[in-house]
Amino acid sequence: CNHMSRSFTIRTPRLTLVPRTIELAETELQRPEAFPKLLGAIAPGNWPPELLIDARPQFLEALRGNPTLLRWFDCYILLRDESGGLPTLIGGIGFIADEGQPVVLQLGYSLLPQFHNRGYCTEAVAALLEWAFSHEEVSYIYADTFPELGPSIRVLRKSGFEQRGAGAEERSIRFVLGRE
């Protein structure tokens, strides 16, 4: 996949990861009432997750400035409805890329609190890691989190990441996963 497009999705047993496009990002910020329909999902009243609130305008500006970022960018996490109804928007996941060679990716994710502790984040991380490492130029992936974010640390450890010192932000810790 050289570019993520609206048609590019990753499916797991319970989830669909849909790329954040410029159109989706603009609608989410400028016309939030129209956003769920465009995404084809139900958006809970407490959307977005706290960790994504301030990041959304930055994602949009980054996409506008460099649409090729879609290749390593951000996805909405949708929980499929087993009865065939619309999926529910439960979170976001994606990468920030250092486009040097080899490519180094920083992983980030956030779920709405009512969807914590059900394995959804671990499932989404596993799918995105498999996709990222299918690209030979990706050498390793890292994630920074905070010591008090136990669920996030558990997701990283279950996903094979190892703690490797301090992260970029004050008090943050870094987890790293290299190519097998």
Side-chain angles (χ1 to χ4, degrees), residues 19-42:
R20 181 185 303 264
T21 62
I22 291 172
E23 181 186 21
L24 283 168
E26 284 176 344
T27 304
E28 181 182 4
L29 289 170
Q30 297 162 6
R31 296 193 349 255
E33 72 290 345
F35 170 65
K37 185 174 182 186
L38 182 63
L39 185 60
I42 296 164

Side-chain angles (χ1 to χ4, degrees), residues 132-176:
F133 282 126
S134 75
H135 296 81
E136 291 179 13
E137 66 271 32
V138 174
S139 64
Y140 75 92
I141 298 169
Y142 70 94
D144 291 352
T145 189
F146 292 94
E148 65 272 16
L149 297 179
S152 181
I153 292 169
R154 281 194 301 279
V155 167
L156 292 170
R157 287 199 170 125
K158 280 193 253 180
S159 302
F161 285 79
E162 295 178 7
Q163 189 172 340
R164 294 272 172 81
E169 291 183 52
E170 188 177 330
R171 295 189 324 90
S172 68
I173 50 179
R174 176 153 297 173
F175 287 80
V176 175

Side-chain angles (χ1 to χ4, degrees), residues 3-180:
H3 281 293
M4 281 190 190
S5 67
R6 185 72 170 95
S7 62
F8 173 88
T9 58
I10 295 174
R11 292 176 65 85
T12 70
R14 301 179 293 173
L15 308 171
T16 303
L17 307 183
V18 176
R20 181 185 303 264
T21 62
I22 291 172
E23 181 186 21
L24 283 168
E26 284 176 344
T27 304
E28 181 182 4
L29 289 170
Q30 297 162 6
R31 296 193 349 255
E33 72 290 345
F35 170 65
K37 185 174 182 186
L38 182 63
L39 185 60
I42 296 164
N46 61 335
W47 179 261
E50 189 176 339
L51 293 174
L52 290 180
I53 291 171
D54 295 336
R56 295 176 312 150
Q58 296 168 352
F59 290 159
L60 177 56
E61 287 313 305
L63 282 171
R64 284 180 177 151
N66 183 2
T68 62
L69 284 174
L70 279 168
R71 176 160 186 210
W72 303 118
F73 218 58
D74 188 44
C75 294
Y76 297 102
I77 302 172
L78 305 181
L79 176 62
R80 290 196 301 278
D81 180 340
E82 292 181 19
S83 67
L86 287 175
T88 301
L89 175 60
I90 66 170
I93 187 169
F95 297 115
I96 298 171
D98 165 6
E99 282 284 10
Q101 289 297 329
V103 175
V104 173
L105 300 176
Q106 179 181 4
L107 173 66
Y109 48 83
S110 187
L111 287 184
L112 290 170
Q114 67 267 39
F115 299 101
H116 287 188
N117 300 312
R118 297 189 201 174
Y120 298 136
C121 203
T122 302
E123 188 173 320
V125 167
L128 211 55
L129 291 176
E130 181 181 337
W131 177 82
F133 282 126
S134 75
H135 296 81
E136 291 179 13
E137 66 271 32
V138 174
S139 64
Y140 75 92
I141 298 169
Y142 70 94
D144 291 352
T145 189
F146 292 94
E148 65 272 16
L149 297 179
S152 181
I153 292 169
R154 281 194 301 279
V155 167
L156 292 170
R157 287 199 170 125
K158 280 193 253 180
S159 302
F161 285 79
E162 295 178 7
Q163 189 172 340
R164 294 272 172 81
E169 291 183 52
E170 188 177 330
R171 295 189 324 90
S172 68
I173 50 179
R174 176 153 297 173
F175 287 80
V176 175
L177 179 64
R179 180 175 284 290
E180 291 295 322

